[in-house]
Amino acid sequence: MSALLLVNATLVNEGRVVETDVLIRGDRIERVGAGAVPAGAEVVDLAGKHLLPGIIDDQVHCREPGLTHKATLATESLAAICGGVTSFLEMPNTTPPTTDRAALAEKRRIAAATCHVNYGFYLGATNTNLEEIRRVGSADACGIKVFMGASTGNMLVDDPATLEGIFREARLPVATHCEDSPMIWEAERRARERWGEAVPISEHPHIRSAEACYKSSALAVGLARRHGTRLHVLHLSTERELELFDKGPIASKRVTAEVCVHHLWFEESSYADLGTRIKCNPAIKSAGDRAALRRAVLTDTIDVIATDHAPHTLAEKARGYFEAPSGLPLVQHSLLMLLEQHREGLFSLEKIVEKAAHNPATLFGIVERGFVREGYFADLVAVDLQASTRVDAAQILYKCGWSPFEGTEFHSRIALTVLNGKVVCRDGEPVGSRAARALEFKTD
Ligand code: DOR
């Protein structure tokens, strides 16, 4: 069995930062700590670099099947490994939507042949597929995605009896997109009255308002508390929603919250430069909301940091306010964004690892990943906080070919990504063959 020995690493794991070596045998971590060099081992010197468990992104959109002019599982997962992401959970708003076990099986078939990161898929809820939700188990999906607000794709679940049924009967974690659609439709109507079709993008956080987020998140949390559901509210974007969630370690919670890197990075004034490129749902809101979200990561009110990686072509994004689709590509740069915020003093490395690797693994019951532990799968990323990364067209691996960070210089670099014991990316560039696997979940 092949052996890979990572020496002189500064390991960030489980709340500690220690100088150590990590020995990998086959696809597993055999030893964390100094020891003999096995005969024939490949030795990689990580002096001066930090070694982290690979990032687990619990919210990405890869558009396959059906919307492959925007992205594919192959293209986005290659971008992911080059960004230090070793596992992702993919969303159901594809064409056709992933709303039954046959559609899940088709995604797994495509991923087994083409995907570069470890993968899991959500079953999408609809107003009419409660029977399927009852049946789906952890061998089929990572969770149930419920669009409690309408967004990209036509997957709004707004029938009260269906929502009750989902929260009562789902056997897997329920992950929700929370924005109240009737409030948004009314705000859109008022905006049209004032501006016609030429609504300025700066109105987006007022149309997709904080009130619409609160109303829907409060409904989801209320349903979950009543039924004892394992609920994960995705992409919180406002200060007010935070009052719905408890502080504390993830192990003690049945209701958890996620924030996305773009809501931690951008704020309302960013629309002036980036326009519809950063149009997303829920909208990027005020600087005060961003500050509160950052604090909530530190107080453990927010449990998980992810991306909601949502690629669209530049031509699509260049349309007017109503026609430009929501979402932005992020998965190649999310760890660099967090490391930049570490440099600015916002987050410790231990906190980044907790929210972007440990907690998603715990929440979704991902088997033997998300931590650097002996016997666990060897999914690791080494980062260099002394080097930098300039984002330009040549560096971007997304099929859509653009990033909101073009022209940005991040003050860190993804040095090495190890996936299932294999080096799959060196110095931000993909190397060698695919090593991805289907994730296993232990939740039901
Ligand atoms: O901005 C978003 N884009 N929010 C979503 O909920 C969906 C996503 C997409 O699929 O484009």
Side-chain angles (χ1 to χ4, degrees), residues 259-307:
V259 69
C260 289
V261 287
H262 48 302
H263 293 115
L264 292 171
W265 185 279
F266 298 112
E267 43 85 16
E268 218 165 354
S269 72
S270 314
Y271 291 110
D273 287 338
L274 289 161
T276 49
R277 288 194 184 201
I278 58 162
K279 182 187 180 205
C280 57
N281 303 334
I284 289 159
K285 300 201 174 57
S286 71
D289 288 308
R290 181 183 66 176
L293 294 169
R294 290 172 171 179
R295 283 196 303 276
V297 168
L298 299 177
T299 60
D300 295 333
T301 308
I302 285 178
D303 305 286
V304 169
I305 304 178
T307 62

Side-chain angles (χ1 to χ4, degrees), residues 137-190:
S138 58
D140 307 301
C142 58
I144 311 294
K145 170 69 185 287
V146 189
F147 281 93
M148 291 177 65
S151 191
T152 310
N154 193 12
M155 298 190 70
L156 176 64
V157 182
D158 58 356
D159 174 51
T162 304
L163 284 172
E164 287 283 342
I166 293 169
F167 278 75
R168 191 175 56 236
E169 299 190 37
R171 293 153 57 200
L172 300 178
V174 172
T176 54
H177 178 125
C178 287
E179 291 182 290
D180 185 71
S181 287
M183 284 176 85
I184 292 167
W185 295 329
E186 173 55 20
E188 286 178 347
R189 192 192 61 72
R190 284 198 308 269

Side-chain angles (χ1 to χ4, degrees), residues 59 61 63 91 93 145 147 151-153 177 179 235 262 279-282 308-312 325-328:
Q59 193 186 178
H61 301 262
R63 311 302 190 201
M91 286 291 161
N93 55 340
K145 170 69 185 287
F147 281 93
S151 191
T152 310
H177 178 125
E179 291 182 290
H235 44 42
H262 48 302
K279 182 187 180 205
C280 57
N281 303 334
D308 194 7
H309 172 77
H312 299 283
S326 288
L328 55 159

